[in-house]
Amino acid sequence: FRRVLLRSTDASGNLATVWRATNDGTICYAQPAPATVNTSSTLTIANLKTGIIQSTPASGVTLTLPSGGLVEGGFNTMFTNQAFEWSVINLSGTNAITIASGTTHTIAGSATVAANVSARYVTRRTASNTFVSYRLC
């Protein structure tokens, strides 16, 4: 088995490894620190790109998905039927998180992330400026 690397330049123009498969077959990838969102708001592209959104809401919060147009601009190299994954981790002992649809960005599956629960989503581009986020678990 040969090691496989995927490299890209970072914001400073330096070459960085973003994905690799080790000699024993383990897949490793760049993982930024989780985004923390504790109040009701519209998620940003930066939040989604971290791949992990954590929250410890003091009361129930609603996290609204960005519009399809914003996602299109933020993930501007995506083609129709391509997707990216992201998770929400609810660190609250008592308060739920609700994921809400944005304009031309819909949700398939449960939009509620209960207290002390995490949820995994795959967001798929279905057409220009149009996305569906599927809850996997």
Side-chain angles (χ1 to χ4, degrees):
F1 185 74
R2 297 173 67 190
R3 186 175 359 177
V4 178
L5 299 174
L6 175 62
R7 293 190 168 180
S8 180
T9 54
D10 63 17
S12 301
N14 300 315
L15 190 61
T17 300
V18 294
W19 181 93
R20 70 184 174 101
T22 63
N23 290 339
D24 64 359
T26 302
I27 296 174
C28 303
Y29 55 90
Q31 176 59 61
T36 299
V37 183
N38 292 323
T39 59
S40 292
S41 61
T42 298
L43 294 172
T44 67
I45 298 305
N47 295 151
L48 293 174
K49 283 187 173 184
T50 67
I52 301 171
I53 300 161
Q54 63 185 8
S55 185
T56 310
S59 60
V61 300
T62 298
L63 303 179
T64 303
L65 293 169
S67 70
L70 288 174
V71 176
E72 184 86 17
F75 291 85
N76 59 4
T77 58
M78 285 184 72
F79 298 105
T80 297
N81 296 322
Q82 287 186 323
F84 63 92
E85 295 184 20
W86 53 282
S87 298
V88 175
I89 302 170
N90 187 344
L91 300 171
S92 170
T94 56
N95 301 304
I97 298 169
T98 301
I99 308 298
S101 295
T103 305
T104 66
H105 191 158
T106 58
I107 300 170
S110 176
T112 301
V113 183
N116 292 318
V117 171
S118 61
R120 187 87 175 143
Y121 292 87
V122 170
T123 296
R124 178 176 159 260
R125 183 181 191 257
T126 57
S128 179
N129 296 318
T130 307
F131 293 81
V132 176
S133 288
Y134 301 90
R135 177 146 179 195
L136 302 180
C137 59

